[in-house]
Amino acid sequence: LQCWEVRKHNSSEWCRFIRSNPDCRLEGGFLDYLEGVFCFFPPRLLPLAVTLYALWLLYLFIILGVTAEKFFCPNLSAISTNLKLHRVFSLTCPLHGVTFLAFGNGAPDVFSAVVAFSDPRTAGLAIGAIFGAGIFVTTVVAGGIALVKPFTAASRPFLRDVIFYMVAVFLTFMVLYFGRITLGEALGERHGAGGYWGAAGAALGAVTPPGSPIPGYLGLYLFYVFTVVLCTWIHRRQRGEGVAPPGTWEPEMPTDAEEQESSGTNSGDYGEEYQPLLPSREPSLRILAAALSPLDYRKWRRKPWYWRLFKVFKVPVELALLLTVPVVDPDKDDLNWKRPLNSLHVLTSPLFCVLTLKSGAYGLYQIQGVFPVWGLVTLVGSVLAIITFITTSNEEPPKYHCVFAFLGFLASAMWINAAAMELVNILRTLGIIFQLSNTVLGLTLLAWGNSIGDTFSDLTMARQGYPRMAFSACFGGIIFNILVGVGLGCLLQMTSSQLVVKLEPDSLLVWILAGALGLSLVFSFVSVPAQCFQLGRAYGICLILYYLAFLCIALLTEFRVIHLSAI
C-alpha cells in the first residue's frame, strides 16, 4: 500500500499503518514527521500539527536563506580570492557570474533538488520545484521588473540565455518521456550512441554528424559557460574595449547594510565619535561576545517594528551559524579574523559536519564498537583549537587563515543540505496528509520558498535603476539550477552497478508543467524581439496573467477537475 492511503483508514489505525508500511519511511533527516503527526498527535489535533509543520517549513526557508546569503556566498567569494581566481576573472569577468555567483545564489535550489532526487518517491518534488521555479521567475519576477521599471533589454544575452534554457527544458522533457537518464546523458555522450538522443536526434542533432559529441546536463552547462565568455570577448573586441578591468562588467550594487553593520567593525559609519582615540587591545572574551552577537543595537533602534520582529526569528539560527561556520571576508582589513571564535570553529565546524553527514549516522558510528566518531572529532578538534588560540594573536590573522574559508564553505554547505533534507521530508509529509502529489508541492511551496529571495533582490535591483541586470538574472540563474540540479542530482544517485536513474512522471501535471515552461519561454523569445527589446508594463502584465492561468490549470489538474479520459 502507498503511504498516502493512510487517511482512508480509521484514525485508530493510522499509527500502526505508518510504522508498518515501508513506503512511509522517510529517507534521511533528523525528525520522523509522519510518525509525529499520526502517532503523537491525536486525530482531533491534526490541524494543530499541520500548523506547527507549516511554521517549521517557513523557518526552514529562513535557515536556507540566511545560510546562503551570510555564510555560503561570502566563503565562496573568499575561496575565489584565495585561489587567485580573480586574476582569471579579470580577463573573463562574466565567468564569475555564471559559476561562483550562480552557485551561491542557486545553492538552496540545487541542494533541494539533489536531496529530492536521492529518493525515487520524492523525485517529482525536484522536477516540480525546478520547473515551477523556472516558470515563476521567468513570468512573475520578469514581469514584475517590467512593471516596476520599463527598460530596453540586452538583446544578445537575452537571446543566448533563452535559447540555452529552452534546450535544457527540452532535454528534461525527453528524459521524462523515456522515463530514465543514463550516465552519458547526465554528463554528455556521443550522438547515435543510444539513449533518448536517438529519438531526439532529429530535433537536437539533425545538423550534427554521427559520432560528434552532444552535451548532457553538465556538459551543456560547461558549454553555456564557454559561450558566455566567448560572446563577451567578441563583444568587447567589436567595441574596441579590449580587456575590461575587474568588476566593471556590471554596475556595482550597494551591499547589504545588515551584513556590514552586524559584523561590529563598521564604527566609522556612525561618525568620528565612535572611533577610539588611542589604539587598545580588546580582551579575548569581549571579542568573542561581540563576534557572537547577531544584533547591532544602534541599528535595532532605527528599524521599524516588522524588521525587529523578523530579526527576532532569525537570531537563533544566526547564533547557531556563528558558532559553527567561520566566515572569511577579503574586503575587511582583518579578513574578519576573530581569534577566540575562529579557534572555537576548529572544534565546532568539523563536529557539526560529522553529526549532520547522513543524518548523524557517521558521527554516531562506534570505532571498534567502543569509541564514537564524534568523540574522536571532539578530541582532535579540541587539541587543534587550543594550538590555534595559543599560536595566534587577536590583532593579525595567521597565514593559514584561508583554510577557514574552506572550512566555512563545507560547514555552510552541510547546513544547507541538512535544511534541504528536512524541507523535502516535511513537504512529503504535508503531501500525504492532504493527499497532494509531490509535483504540485514542488511547483508551489518549494518553488515559491526558494524563489522568494531572488524575487525581492531582483525587484529591488530594478527599483534602484538596474532593470537590465535584474532581467538578465531571471534567465541566467535558472539555467544553472536546471542543468546542475538535474544533472548533479541524478549523477550522485548512480553507482558502478546502476548507471541509470528512473525519472517517470507520476501524473498529467508533469507534462502541463513542462509544456507551460516551454510555452512561456517561446512567448518571451518571440515577443521581446518583436518589441525591439523595449519591455514595458504590457509585457509584464501578460507574463503575470500567464502565470496565474498556469497555476489555475495546474491546481485543477491536481484535483482531477482536468483529466485525461480513459480510452
Side-chain angles (χ1 to χ4, degrees):
L1 295 177
Q2 294 184 348
C3 193
W4 62 268
E5 298 180 13
V6 62
R7 297 292 301 276
K8 296 182 178 180
H9 293 72
N10 190 282
S11 59
S12 61
E13 301 177 356
W14 285 354
C15 185
R16 183 175 59 84
F17 182 90
I18 291 294
R19 289 177 173 173
S20 61
N21 193 339
D23 189 56
C24 296
R25 295 173 185 172
L26 299 177
E27 296 294 333
F30 296 93
L31 301 175
D32 193 334
Y33 299 101
L34 283 171
E35 187 171 336
V37 70
F38 289 110
C39 295
F40 295 99
F41 281 90
R44 65 179 181 277
L45 293 182
L46 185 61
L48 175 62
V50 171
T51 303
L52 294 176
Y53 279 13
L55 294 176
W56 176 233
L57 179 68
L58 294 176
Y59 201 72
L60 287 172
F61 282 120
I62 294 177
I63 294 176
L64 283 174
V66 172
T67 307
E69 177 187 0
K70 295 189 176 183
F71 296 86
F72 187 81
C73 290
N75 282 313
L76 199 60
S77 178
I79 291 175
S80 171
T81 302
N82 290 322
L83 294 179
K84 310 300 182 183
L85 295 181
H86 61 283
R87 296 180 182 177
V88 179
F89 296 150
S90 65
L91 300 177
T92 55
C93 292
L95 184 62
H96 186 272
V98 296
T99 53
F100 279 82
L101 188 59
F103 185 33
N105 293 337
D109 306 79
V110 173
F111 276 91
S112 299
V114 170
V115 171
F117 277 124
S118 65
D119 188 348
R121 297 171 299 178
T122 57
L125 197 64
I127 296 296
I130 291 175
F131 277 4
I135 298 178
F136 182 82
V137 172
T138 56
T139 55
V140 175
V141 180
I145 293 171
L147 287 174
V148 169
K149 189 86 171 178
F151 65 100
T152 301
S155 57
R156 283 181 290 188
F158 169 78
L159 294 176
R160 176 199 64 212
D161 291 344
V162 171
I163 290 174
F164 269 95
Y165 196 37
M166 286 193 294
V167 173
V169 172
F170 179 77
L171 296 186
T172 309
F173 181 88
M174 297 306 300
V175 166
L176 293 173
Y177 179 79
F178 287 96
R180 59 167 177 75
I181 178 172
T182 65
L183 177 63
E185 294 158 354
L187 293 174
E189 71 174 0
R190 292 190 172 274
H191 181 55
Y196 60 78
W197 292 114
L204 282 177
V207 296
T208 307
S212 60
I214 290 187
Y217 280 95
L218 300 180
L220 181 60
Y221 179 70
L222 294 178
F223 183 62
Y224 169 71
V225 172
F226 172 77
T227 304
V228 170
V229 174
L230 181 62
C231 291
T232 305
W233 180 78
I234 294 175
H235 179 60
R236 289 174 180 168
R237 287 292 299 269
Q238 290 176 346
R239 295 180 58 181
E241 294 180 359
V243 177
T248 60
W249 66 284
E250 63 180 14
E252 182 179 356
M253 295 298 298
T255 57
D256 187 3
E258 181 179 349
E259 285 287 326
Q260 299 175 354
E261 296 181 13
S262 62
S263 62
T265 61
N266 59 330
S267 57
D269 297 339
Y270 297 94
E272 294 295 331
E273 64 271 19
Y274 291 103
Q275 297 287 349
L277 296 177
L278 296 175
S280 60
R281 294 186 176 181
E282 287 186 288
S284 298
L285 188 60
R286 182 178 297 178
I287 295 176
L288 179 62
L292 286 176
S293 176
L295 289 175
D296 186 285
Y297 296 102
R298 290 188 291 266
K299 184 176 182 179
W300 176 271
R301 291 194 297 265
R302 301 195 312 268
K303 289 296 182 178
W305 66 270
Y306 53 84
W307 183 93
R308 297 183 185 182
L309 180 63
F310 186 60
K311 186 67 176 179
V312 168
F313 286 107
K314 292 199 301 182
V315 162
V317 64
E318 287 181 349
L319 182 60
L321 284 164
L322 287 171
L323 278 170
T324 55
V325 183
V327 178
V328 178
D329 191 349
D331 296 331
K332 294 182 179 179
D333 294 335
D334 61 352
L335 303 178
N336 199 39
W337 166 252
K338 310 294 180 184
R339 177 189 172 213
L341 181 58
N342 289 138
S343 299
L344 184 63
H345 285 150
V346 177
L347 167 63
T348 58
S349 294
L351 185 60
F352 175 81
C353 292
V354 168
L355 292 177
T356 53
L357 187 62
K358 289 292 182 180
S359 304
Y362 291 153
L364 299 177
Y365 176 75
Q366 301 280 336
I367 302 176
Q368 298 294 327
V370 177
F371 198 69
V373 172
W374 68 265
L376 178 62
V377 173
T378 302
L379 182 61
V380 175
S382 300
V383 173
L384 293 178
I386 294 174
I387 294 175
T388 302
F389 186 80
I390 294 175
T391 58
T392 57
S393 64
N394 293 332
E395 290 75 22
E396 185 179 356
K399 295 181 179 180
Y400 54 83
H401 187 220
C402 59
V403 177
F404 286 89
F406 292 90
L407 183 61
F409 172 80
L410 179 61
S412 57
M414 294 303 299
W415 266 95
I416 295 176
N417 183 71
M421 186 81 69
E422 300 300 316
L423 192 68
V424 169
N425 286 340
I426 199 171
L427 284 175
R428 182 167 183 261
T429 301
L430 293 176
I432 292 173
I433 293 174
F434 294 106
Q435 297 184 1
L436 298 174
S437 67
N438 289 325
T439 305
V440 75
L441 290 172
L443 72 90
T444 53
L445 295 180
L446 188 54
W448 295 339
N450 286 337
S451 303
I452 193 67
D454 295 333
T455 302
F456 283 111
S457 61
D458 289 343
L459 293 180
T460 301
M461 196 183 302
R463 284 195 297 265
Q464 292 177 346
Y466 303 102
R468 295 180 67 179
M469 184 191 302
F471 189 75
S472 298
C474 291
F475 291 89
I478 54 179
I479 295 177
F480 176 88
N481 296 346
I482 186 171
L483 292 178
V484 178
V486 178
L488 186 62
C490 294
L491 183 65
L492 292 177
Q493 306 315 313
M494 297 179 184
T495 62
S496 58
S497 59
Q498 184 67 28
L499 297 179
V500 177
V501 175
K502 293 184 178 181
L503 289 178
E504 298 178 354
D506 54 0
S507 65
L508 174 64
L509 183 58
V510 176
W511 303 114
I512 293 178
L513 184 58
L517 178 56
L519 187 59
S520 69
L521 294 174
V522 171
F523 171 76
S524 294
F525 183 72
V526 174
S527 63
V528 172
Q531 302 174 76
C532 298
F533 298 93
Q534 296 180 358
L535 307 183
R537 292 181 172 84
Y539 174 74
I541 292 174
C542 289
L543 289 180
I544 295 176
L545 291 177
Y546 178 88
Y547 182 79
L548 294 177
F550 153 74
L551 194 60
C552 291
I553 294 175
L555 293 178
L556 291 175
T557 304
E558 174 66 21
F559 294 111
R560 307 296 191 272
V561 177
I562 299 177
H563 59 277
L564 292 177
S565 300
I567 300 177

